[in-house]
Amino acid sequence: MAGAEGATHPNGNANGAVVEEKLDELRRQLGKADGDPLRIVGVGAGAWGSVFCALLQDAYGHLRDKAQVRIWRRPGRAVDRATAGHLFDVINAREDVLRRLIRRCAYLKYVEARLGDRTLYADEILRDGFCLNMIDTPLCPLKVVTNLQEAVWDADIVVNGLPSTDTREVFGEIGRYWKERITAPIIISLAKGIEASLDPMPRIITPTQMISNATGVPLENILYLGGPNIASEIYNKEYANARICGADKWRKPLAKFLRQPHFIVWDNSDLITHEVMGGLKNVYAIGAGLVAALTNESATSKSVYFALCTSEMIYITHLLEEEPEKLAGPLLADTYVTLLKGRNAWYGQKLAKGELTLEMGDSIKGKGTIQGVSAVDAFYELLSQDSLSVMHPEGNRSVAPVEMCPILKALHRILIKRDRPADSILQAIRDETMYDPRERIEMAQGHSLYRPSLLGQPKGDVKA
């Protein structure tokens, strides 16, 4: 792959006529003049945000007169000595990385950091191709900007790599810089998380909506990209797919622009619901991690949990979507990969083992923000509202939807109320009065559960 220096990635990536044609096509659609490069800016440098920008740098960075890729991250985040030592080992295990750093006269500072003679900073190592949340996977060198206004003021495409919990604040600041813009940029959001709003009615607010509200950029220019993937594996060219969701105007051109031989990008018009599903799977991934650790990786217990949690997710999708069946594949695929190797399942395991505590917060060194924690709170708060009531199958009585989601209730008590220990998740899945998962799915399919107000829409609106 071609890095910031025009170097070639050891896995190889032909930057030929096809790549340049894709870039030229998108430039034409954006009305870019000759000599004016397409400016792509990543905002936030977590694992997926950094990998996404590195993929674009590898694909298009050698075409310097036509494309410019850069990434913003906050300055001043120090790399502790233990991490610096591990980073030094990673560098020396990869001859290509070692040679590149020596050639850039950058190797000595990693030697000094390992010895404790100097402090490295996250933005500094990112310029050399190392993401603080993904030390074991060297990237190509990236153009890093620590001044947010400088990074975004003239951007054509902005990639939101921030956690959902930071999106509103940072894009509120960006919105002030864009007040004088004549044309709106395109924004691709990678964030998987939601907020709850109860006024004037209970509804979900997604990162794309936060961005539109904060910046004034119309929703047709804001897209969501998600899929069943792990950032480090994508950069190492494991075959993966993703889906870019949004309005017709940009999703197909961007799907074509982002597609690579090992990273297939499909497109879909259903922006908000796919975005919400990206947050929902993080909720249940934390529970999966708890169960795995508490049962010593019992395959039987994990399968019981999977059956129960997927039935709850299916139930919730029937509340959110008039035709929920079309979401089953993407939701289950994303859930599966997150349970296998995602940070939310990892977090659940560490909590259950006592290696992490809730008092440490949901931003974990070396992993970034655990977005499932805030998503548990948001989904619980929304589904607890009596105004969204559903019929309980027993007693012909009306209840809040959360009463049909015992795992979500248990996770809320463990993670948010903190009045139950981690092992109470096992009580939730072993309750002899719990419904067969099949019955919950049948309830969802047999009743009119759809509550379009949850996504802030009247019935029949198109979510694109």
Side-chain angles (χ1 to χ4, degrees):
M1 294 184 182
E5 301 178 299
T8 301
H9 191 284
N11 289 338
N13 182 22
N15 286 308
V18 173
V19 170
E20 190 164 3
E21 285 172 10
K22 289 199 300 181
L23 176 56
D24 287 341
E25 183 175 345
L26 185 61
R27 285 173 52 83
R28 285 193 297 271
Q29 290 166 321
L30 284 164
K32 299 295 291 184
D34 290 345
D36 183 16
L38 177 68
R39 294 174 174 86
I40 304 171
V41 177
V43 175
W48 186 208
S50 297
V51 163
F52 194 83
C53 287
L55 290 174
L56 293 173
Q57 175 65 41
D58 282 332
Y60 300 107
H62 67 294
L63 300 166
R64 294 182 179 88
D65 58 332
K66 295 185 176 184
Q68 177 189 88
V69 181
R70 56 192 175 188
I71 187 167
W72 170 84
R73 70 153 295 134
R74 293 181 178 91
R77 176 76 181 274
V79 179
D80 62 60
R81 185 174 175 182
T83 303
H86 180 56
L87 181 54
F88 182 79
D89 293 337
V90 171
I91 291 168
N92 284 280
R94 286 277 297 268
E95 183 178 350
D96 59 313
V97 176
L98 177 61
R99 289 182 177 277
R100 170 164 58 80
L101 291 174
I102 292 173
R103 191 166 59 247
R104 290 165 59 99
C105 300
Y107 180 67
L108 182 59
K109 67 185 179 185
Y110 292 95
V111 176
E112 293 173 341
R114 177 175 178 266
L115 296 172
D117 293 339
R118 69 164 290 172
T119 300
L120 294 171
Y121 293 92
D123 54 290
E124 176 185 14
I125 67 171
L126 188 59
R127 290 184 177 92
D128 293 329
F130 303 104
C131 172
L132 189 58
N133 291 346
M134 196 176 56
I135 291 295
D136 291 311
T137 304
L139 308 174
C140 64
L142 290 168
K143 169 68 174 176
V144 180
V145 182
T146 56
N147 181 290
L148 184 58
Q149 184 173 8
E150 177 188 345
V152 303
W153 74 274
D154 62 347
D156 299 301
I157 299 174
V158 174
V159 179
N160 175 31
L162 297 162
S164 59
T165 47
D166 292 342
T167 293
R168 184 188 303 278
E169 176 188 354
V170 175
F171 275 88
E173 186 175 348
I174 290 173
R176 294 194 291 274
Y177 305 144
W178 284 348
K179 283 183 178 178
E180 305 303 320
R181 283 191 69 131
I182 298 173
T183 59
I186 297 170
I187 300 170
I188 302 171
S189 180
L190 310 178
K192 296 183 176 181
I194 68 162
E195 286 184 357
S197 175
L198 303 181
D199 185 27
M201 63 180 63
R203 63 182 289 256
I204 290 168
I205 301 177
T206 67
T208 60
Q209 292 170 326
M210 297 176 204
I211 292 168
S212 182
N213 292 338
T215 62
V217 173
L219 205 57
E220 71 170 9
N221 274 42
I222 308 176
L223 303 99
Y224 164 72
L225 185 137
N229 45 59
I230 300 296
S232 61
E233 294 183 350
I234 291 177
Y235 196 72
N236 287 328
K237 289 188 172 294
E238 297 291 337
Y239 180 81
N241 57 62
R243 186 172 281 104
I244 191 163
C245 304
D248 292 345
K249 182 178 180 181
W250 292 118
R251 71 173 193 271
K252 288 187 181 298
L254 286 171
K256 184 175 182 180
F257 177 72
L258 297 173
R259 189 176 299 130
Q260 298 186 22
H262 67 287
F263 184 58
I264 304 304
V265 180
W266 300 314
D267 69 277
N268 192 282
S269 64
D270 197 348
L271 167 64
I272 302 300
T273 315
H274 277 86
E275 202 174 7
V276 172
M277 295 302 102
L280 181 60
K281 55 89 180 175
N282 285 335
V283 168
Y284 291 95
I286 295 178
L290 291 170
V291 170
L294 291 166
T295 63
N296 197 27
E297 299 290 342
S298 162
T300 299
S301 294
K302 289 194 289 186
S303 68
V304 169
Y305 176 83
F306 189 75
L308 293 169
C309 81
T310 51
S311 74
E312 286 191 21
M313 285 192 284
I314 290 169
Y315 190 87
I316 292 170
T317 60
H318 278 75
L319 291 165
L320 299 172
E321 175 60 54
E322 195 166 18
E323 299 177 356
E325 293 79 11
K326 64 186 180 183
L327 293 171
L331 175 59
L332 290 177
D334 210 355
T335 300
Y336 180 64
V337 76
T338 304
L339 267 55
L340 284 176
K341 203 174 178 180
R343 76 181 72 176
N344 288 277
W346 171 89
Y347 179 72
Q349 289 183 323
K350 295 297 184 181
L351 282 180
K353 294 176 179 178
E355 296 173 15
L356 292 175
T357 66
L358 294 171
E359 288 70 25
M360 294 176 178
D362 58 4
S363 183
I364 307 300
K365 186 180 75 172
K367 288 290 182 179
T369 300
I370 309 300
Q371 297 193 109
V373 177
S374 62
V376 166
D377 195 25
F379 276 108
Y380 180 89
E381 188 172 21
L382 285 165
L383 300 183
S384 298
Q385 302 305 308
D386 291 335
S387 60
L388 301 171
S389 62
V390 297
M391 293 304 297
H392 195 282
E394 293 181 356
N396 196 31
R397 55 194 174 91
S398 182
V399 298
V402 77
E403 296 303 319
M404 304 306 299
C405 302
I407 293 177
L408 176 58
K409 290 176 66 178
L411 289 170
H412 187 264
R413 299 202 68 170
I414 294 167
L415 299 170
I416 309 301
K417 294 184 72 175
R418 302 185 184 182
D419 63 358
R420 289 288 186 273
D423 62 5
S424 64
I425 191 72
L426 299 180
Q427 298 170 8
I429 69 171
R430 293 171 179 170
D431 185 352
E432 65 181 21
T433 66
M434 185 178 285
Y435 293 103
D436 181 335
R438 174 187 57 82
E439 294 179 3
R440 185 178 290 103
I441 294 170
E442 288 178 351
M443 280 188 277
Q445 294 172 335
H447 295 80
S448 179
L449 295 182
Y450 180 40
R451 301 290 188 272
S453 61
L454 272 170
L455 297 185
Q457 311 173 50
K459 213 166 191 173
D461 270 17
V462 177
K463 297 175 284 300

